[in-house]
Amino acid sequence: MPLNTARISAQQLVASPYRMHAAVEGAFPPGSIRDGEDGRILWRLDSLDQGHGLWLYVVSPEAPDFTHIIEQAGWPTHMEWESKDYGPLLSRIAVGQCWNFRLKANPVRVAWENNGKYSQMGDDRIVGKLQGHVSVHYQTEWLLKRCEKHGFTILPDDSGAPSMVVKQRHQERFGRGGKTVTLTTAVYEGRLQVTDADKFRHVLCHGLGRAKGFGCGLLTVAPIIHGTDGGHE
């Protein structure tokens, strides 16, 4: 569904992944499946190029009702959003297929040693903690190391390098329970090939990486069409 970022209430909602998480959760009745064998609730905000605005994408085991989000962040006189059954896409996933993809992720690593940040104090608080990758190089490596586990590989470009770009790289900060949460996020776009259909279907429904509740992890795909990236599913 499109979001109306001209509204102050919409700006406040999209500025906080915690608030947006709550809004997405509110699109499902209390008894709905949030995280089950067939999938979990995943969402992503897409800031599209060429001035096409901000869109909310959700993949979930059950169909959502976005009425309350439209009232807060959409166009209340136009109660419209589009829902599609994911089953037909999942059923036609097969080894060897090539797709355009988009993924917003939280690329992180576990710090196994004190990198000198606290060396003067002899403080090892950083050891064992999660740290976000902030450079394009390490953010790219982060995804490349996870492809096989999730049933796909990144196709090479004409020079043999991965046909992938990493953009919209941010540190997102928001309040949660009286504390400030910081997420390092990046958007990946490129072309992939399916190497294991079952694993790939699983990642489409369950997400990739951490911070799934805060708008990360949703991998979407679109047919590779000459001259266009097509629409993501």
Side-chain angles (χ1 to χ4, degrees):
M1 64 166 289
L3 300 180
N4 182 2
T5 54
R7 301 181 63 186
I8 297 298
S9 55
Q11 296 170 20
Q12 293 171 338
L13 183 62
V14 302
S16 170
Y18 183 59
R19 290 183 181 180
M20 183 60 76
H21 164 75
V24 171
E25 286 284 320
F28 304 90
S32 297
I33 299 172
R34 260 69 179 172
D35 188 355
E37 182 177 345
D38 293 330
R40 60 167 293 158
I41 298 173
L42 299 166
W43 62 272
R44 186 180 74 221
L45 290 176
D46 271 7
S47 179
L48 303 183
D49 298 330
Q50 291 87 42
H52 292 309
L54 191 66
W55 291 73
L56 171 64
Y57 286 85
V58 175
V59 168
S60 54
E62 301 178 28
D65 183 336
F66 288 143
T67 302
H68 63 297
I69 299 181
I70 288 179
E71 291 172 346
Q72 181 178 356
W75 287 265
T77 58
H78 295 80
M79 286 288 184
E80 298 178 359
W81 65 87
E82 184 178 9
S83 294
K84 293 181 178 180
D85 181 3
Y86 222 30
L89 171 67
L90 297 175
S91 65
R92 68 176 188 263
I93 295 296
V95 172
Q97 287 178 340
C98 297
W99 298 88
N100 288 309
F101 77 90
R102 181 179 295 131
L103 166 72
K104 180 179 179 181
N106 170 223
V108 297
R109 69 179 183 89
V110 177
W112 295 113
E113 61 182 358
N114 188 331
N115 62 1
K117 186 175 181 180
Y118 300 109
S119 59
Q120 292 182 348
M121 299 181 290
D123 190 340
D124 286 329
R125 285 178 294 177
I126 200 170
V127 176
K129 302 295 184 182
L130 289 175
Q131 288 187 310
H133 288 301
V134 296
S135 72
V136 171
H137 172 76
Y138 285 112
Q139 289 174 343
T140 300
E141 275 198 345
W142 177 88
L143 181 57
L144 293 177
K145 289 178 179 178
R146 285 157 177 78
C147 293
E148 182 179 358
K149 176 183 177 181
H150 294 293
F152 66 95
T153 186
I154 305 298
L155 290 170
D157 61 19
D158 293 338
S159 66
S163 58
M164 176 175 67
V165 295
V166 185
K167 59 184 187 179
Q168 297 178 27
R169 301 162 49 241
H170 302 295
Q171 281 201 332
E172 303 181 20
R173 294 181 175 85
F174 56 95
R176 181 190 183 195
K179 297 182 179 179
T180 299
V181 177
T182 301
L183 294 180
T184 300
T185 63
V187 172
Y188 299 81
E189 291 184 351
R191 298 186 175 192
L192 61 76
Q193 184 173 42
V194 179
T195 57
D196 186 304
D198 289 336
K199 290 180 179 179
F200 193 65
R201 278 189 286 266
H202 187 274
V203 77
L204 289 176
C205 294
H206 291 266
L208 194 162
R210 295 177 178 268
K212 296 184 181 75
F214 299 123
C216 297
L218 173 55
L219 174 70
T220 54
V221 296
I224 297 177
I225 302 172
H226 183 69
T228 178
D229 284 341
H232 279 252
E233 301 183 59

